[in-house]
């Protein structure tokens, strides 16, 4: 049973070809949009890549970039084909190319859908990457003179200032790491020596935070040192302390930032996929309708177009049988003529010489 059978007149076939030519031109622009979204997402991921534990997330923008480039090329070719299909005689040049073109377009359309799903599915991997990456970045915050880590301090400070966050999950995370370099510690001081000896691994742990954790909404000068000691500050108020430092962790801030970008890009790519699916359906109708009118021999007559010539189950069964028979050797035992005795041509008796039976 034919799936999606529609009858087209000559004028309708020409109109369909013209509309598809315009839609393929729009698809070239949507391909450029996919390319731009992929580049934008890659730049955003690389912007804070130093606080991520791995760079595996770049497969999402790379997928969008490659899909966008493929869309521009495939849809440009599709526009040329659809423009030539307005004339049945020019269609003959593309007759053998139509089916491979439709298969490539179908594969590309599936890639667009996969790209949209990737934008929504990268959240869990992103959260794990940020959790470990921020923790490692905070540990090496003090290593400003170590090659490969000298920019971590600047990156973390810019991150906390721009996204209004502090630490991994909160400002208290800075109490658990030594973020002050020993170059700035007075090693001759007994207080410093006692603190180094009292902590595991000889770390200098204090209830202090970097200046970038200070909130711009603080009603008083920022309290960075002895944050947890209320008696060390004049007129200390617990309520005002909430406005003193950023209370939101940077992992949460980055997750909100990237989740918003991923959701917007995923929705846009999903709309592009629906549009490409519409164009692919129209091209399939144009191909089958034009091929059928060529079989009829009358270029002015009506012709049928469809999505599948047989039902989906029959098409799948037919293709499955083809796959099963691939590589099978022809067995001599199955030859129906194996036991048939053949006569050499020179020994054959002409039918005219055989006496008629009485």
């Amino acid at each position: 049973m034919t799936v999606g059978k529609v009858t087209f007149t000559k004028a309708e076939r020409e109109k369909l070809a013209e509309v598809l030519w315009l839609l393929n031109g729009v698809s070239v622009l949507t391909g450029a949009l996919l390319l731009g979204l992929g580049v934008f997402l890659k730049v955003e991921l690389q912007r804070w890549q130093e606080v991520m534990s791995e760079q595996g997330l770049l497969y999402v923008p790379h997928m969008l970039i490659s899909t966008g480039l493929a869309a521009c090329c495939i849809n440009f070719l599709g526009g040329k084909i659809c423009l030539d299909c307005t004339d049945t005689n020019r269609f003959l040049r593309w007759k053998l190319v139509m089916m491979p073109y439709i298969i490539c377009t179908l594969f590309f359309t599936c890639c667009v859908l996969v790209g949209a799903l990737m934008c929504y599915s990268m959240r869990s991997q992103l959260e794990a990457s940020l959790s470990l990456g921020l923790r490692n970045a905070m540990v090496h915050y003090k290593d400003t003179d170590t090659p490969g880590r000298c920019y971590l301090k600047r990156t973390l400070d810019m991150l906390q200032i721009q996204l209004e966050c502090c630490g991994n999950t909160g400002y208290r995370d800075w109490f658990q790491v030594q973020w002050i370099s020993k170059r700035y510690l007075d090693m001759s001081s007994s207080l410093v020596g006692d603190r180094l000896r009292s902590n595991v691994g000889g770390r200098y742990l204090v209830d202090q935070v970097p200046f970038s954790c200070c909130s711009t909404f603080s009603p008083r000068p920022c309290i960075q040192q002895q944050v947890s000691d209320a008696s060390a500050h004049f007129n200390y108020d617990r309520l005002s302390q909430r406005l003193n430092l950023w209370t939101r962790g940077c992992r949460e801030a980055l997750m909100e930032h990237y989740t918003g970008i991923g959701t917007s890009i995923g929705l846009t790519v999903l709309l592009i996929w629906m549009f490409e699916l519409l164009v692919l359906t129209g091209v399939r109708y144009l191909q089958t309708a034009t091929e059928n009118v060529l079989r009829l021999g009358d270029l002015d007559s009506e012709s049928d177009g469809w999505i599948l010539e047989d039902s989906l189950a029959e098409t799948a069964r037919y293709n499955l049988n083809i796959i099963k028979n691939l590589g099978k050797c022809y067995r001599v035992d199955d030859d129906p003529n194996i036991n048939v005795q053949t006569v050499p041509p020179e020994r054959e008796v002409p039918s005219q010489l055989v006496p008629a039976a009485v």
Side-chain angles (χ1 to χ4, degrees):
M1 182 180 65
T2 305
V3 179
K5 183 178 180 181
V6 180
T7 302
F8 296 91
T9 63
K10 179 182 179 182
E12 289 173 345
R13 289 193 301 270
E14 293 177 353
K15 191 65 177 179
L16 178 61
E18 293 175 357
V19 171
L20 289 174
W21 172 64
L22 293 175
L23 291 181
N24 273 281
V26 176
S27 296
V28 174
L29 299 179
T30 59
L33 178 60
L34 273 177
L35 176 62
L37 291 176
V39 172
F40 171 74
L41 182 58
K42 183 177 181 179
V43 171
E44 283 296 318
L45 288 174
Q46 289 182 335
R47 182 183 179 187
W48 307 115
Q49 64 178 347
E50 293 184 71
V51 296
M52 297 181 186
S53 61
E54 57 183 21
Q55 301 302 317
L57 290 169
L58 291 177
Y59 70 89
V60 180
H62 288 165
M63 179 70 175
L64 295 177
I65 292 173
S66 58
T67 306
L69 289 174
C72 294
C73 299
I74 292 176
N75 290 316
F76 182 80
L77 176 62
K80 174 61 177 174
I81 293 175
C82 293
L83 182 61
D84 287 346
C85 286
T86 55
D87 185 0
T88 309
N89 294 322
R90 286 190 294 173
F91 170 76
L92 294 175
R93 296 184 299 179
W94 302 102
K95 183 179 178 181
L96 299 178
V97 183
M98 285 293 290
M99 183 53 70
Y101 163 72
I102 290 177
I103 294 175
C104 292
T105 306
L106 178 61
F107 176 74
F108 148 73
T109 307
C110 294
C111 291
V112 175
L113 179 60
V114 172
L117 297 177
M118 283 181 176
C119 294
Y120 290 104
S121 62
M122 69 176 186
R123 177 181 175 85
S124 58
Q125 185 179 356
L126 178 64
E127 186 172 8
S129 177
L130 287 174
S131 178
L132 181 59
L134 282 169
R135 190 182 305 118
N136 294 334
M138 292 173 62
V139 170
H140 300 295
Y141 180 86
K142 63 181 183 301
D143 300 336
T144 55
D145 55 349
T146 304
R149 299 172 182 171
C150 52
Y151 293 106
L152 273 178
K153 180 182 184 301
R154 179 183 179 276
T155 301
L156 272 176
D157 287 335
M158 295 300 298
L159 172 65
Q160 294 184 144
I161 292 173
Q162 293 182 13
L163 298 186
E164 299 180 353
C165 59
C166 184
N168 191 346
T169 58
Y171 67 88
R172 292 185 177 276
D173 293 336
W174 289 106
F175 301 168
Q176 304 171 11
V177 297
Q178 179 182 342
W179 58 273
I180 301 176
S181 176
K182 291 185 177 181
R183 293 183 300 166
Y184 305 107
L185 297 177
D186 185 7
M187 304 305 294
S188 61
S189 173
S190 58
L191 296 176
V192 174
D194 293 340
R195 190 175 293 274
L196 290 174
R197 288 188 295 269
S198 62
N199 293 306
V200 178
R203 295 179 300 170
Y204 185 77
L205 303 181
V206 289
D207 54 346
Q208 300 180 14
V209 295
F211 77 97
S212 53
C213 285
C214 293
S215 172
T216 55
F217 303 104
S218 178
R220 60 178 295 165
C222 182
I223 299 176
Q224 297 176 244
Q225 302 177 356
Q226 297 177 308
V227 176
S228 57
D229 188 1
S231 60
H233 311 285
F234 174 76
N235 197 19
Y236 185 86
D237 184 11
R238 289 286 183 183
L239 296 178
S240 63
Q241 175 60 19
R242 297 179 181 178
L243 300 175
N244 182 62
L245 302 174
W246 302 120
T247 57
R248 184 176 62 164
C250 289
R251 181 178 62 182
E252 179 185 354
L254 282 173
M255 284 300 299
E256 290 181 2
H257 176 69
Y258 284 122
T259 301
I261 293 176
T263 303
S264 301
I265 293 179
L267 180 60
T268 304
V269 176
L270 195 60
L271 293 175
I272 293 175
W273 171 74
M274 296 175 65
F275 179 76
E276 293 293 340
L277 195 62
L278 175 65
V279 176
L280 175 62
T281 304
V283 173
R284 175 60 175 169
Y285 274 118
L286 179 63
Q287 176 217 359
T288 52
T290 309
E291 288 183 352
N292 287 333
V293 79
L294 290 176
R295 293 192 185 101
L296 294 174
D298 185 4
L299 302 182
D300 297 329
S301 64
E302 295 182 348
S303 62
D304 295 332
W306 51 69
I307 298 177
L308 291 176
E309 188 173 1
D310 298 318
S311 64
L312 188 61
E314 293 175 355
T315 304
R317 192 181 303 113
Y318 174 75
N319 293 326
L320 185 61
N321 290 332
I322 293 177
I323 295 174
K324 286 182 177 179
N325 292 326
L326 288 176
K328 280 189 174 181
C329 297
Y330 182 75
R331 295 183 300 176
V332 179
D333 297 340
D334 296 335
D335 190 352
N337 299 319
I338 190 66
N339 294 321
V340 177
Q341 192 172 10
T342 58
V343 180
E346 61 273 9
R347 297 185 59 183
E348 291 183 356
V349 181
S351 58
Q352 293 83 356
L353 302 180
V354 177
V358 180

